[in-house]
Amino acid sequence: MTRDLDQAFAALADPTRRAILTMLLEDDMAVTDVAEPFEMSLAAISKHLGVLSAAGLISQEKRGRVKWCKLEPDALRAASVWMQGFGQFEPVNLEAFERFLAHELPEDNA
């Protein structure tokens, strides 16, 4: 499981790969369509897609002469479960914190 998490987080570390995943949330896409909004070569996009595939975040299949990319919806499950372990802490209630500070550190009215 550690290797899978390492690969998933390494793949997610790059902003281009995160953008590709966001695009694939909408629908399956041909590699050329994935590459279109980026100012990089098709070879560079293919390398990014290879990293995403190796991490299991996407799958690729050939349909005729076109290679298609598909988001694998369960691929981030292990990473999500791992991150939820950090969600056990309550978010800070800023209003309550302000009241506490006002009570503990009264302003000088001199």
Side-chain angles (χ1 to χ4, degrees):
M1 180 168 138
T2 300
R3 185 174 189 277
D4 293 340
L5 280 176
D6 291 348
Q7 281 188 307
F9 285 121
L12 294 171
D14 185 274
T16 299
R17 292 192 286 266
R18 290 193 305 272
I20 291 169
L21 290 175
T22 301
M23 291 167 51
L24 292 174
L25 277 171
E26 298 295 320
D27 200 3
D28 299 358
M29 296 180 76
V31 170
T32 53
D33 293 332
V34 170
E36 189 176 308
F38 299 100
E39 294 183 17
M40 61 181 68
S41 69
L42 193 55
I45 288 295
S46 291
K47 286 184 180 184
H48 284 294
L49 294 173
V51 171
L52 292 169
S53 290
L57 301 177
I58 67 167
S59 59
Q60 296 183 61
E61 73 173 293
K62 196 126 181 177
R63 298 180 196 163
R65 295 187 323 185
V66 178
K67 196 172 208 180
W68 286 80
C69 301
K70 176 184 176 186
L71 185 67
E72 291 299 326
D74 292 334
L76 288 175
R77 185 173 309 234
S80 178
V81 168
W82 183 82
M83 289 186 297
Q84 285 176 0
F86 294 97
Q88 66 190 357
F89 304 104
E90 290 294 319
V92 175
N93 181 333
L94 294 178
E95 289 177 11
F97 187 60
E98 270 186 50
R99 287 192 302 272
F100 169 78
L101 288 177
H103 181 265
E104 294 295 314
L105 305 170
E107 292 182 31
D108 279 335
N109 293 333

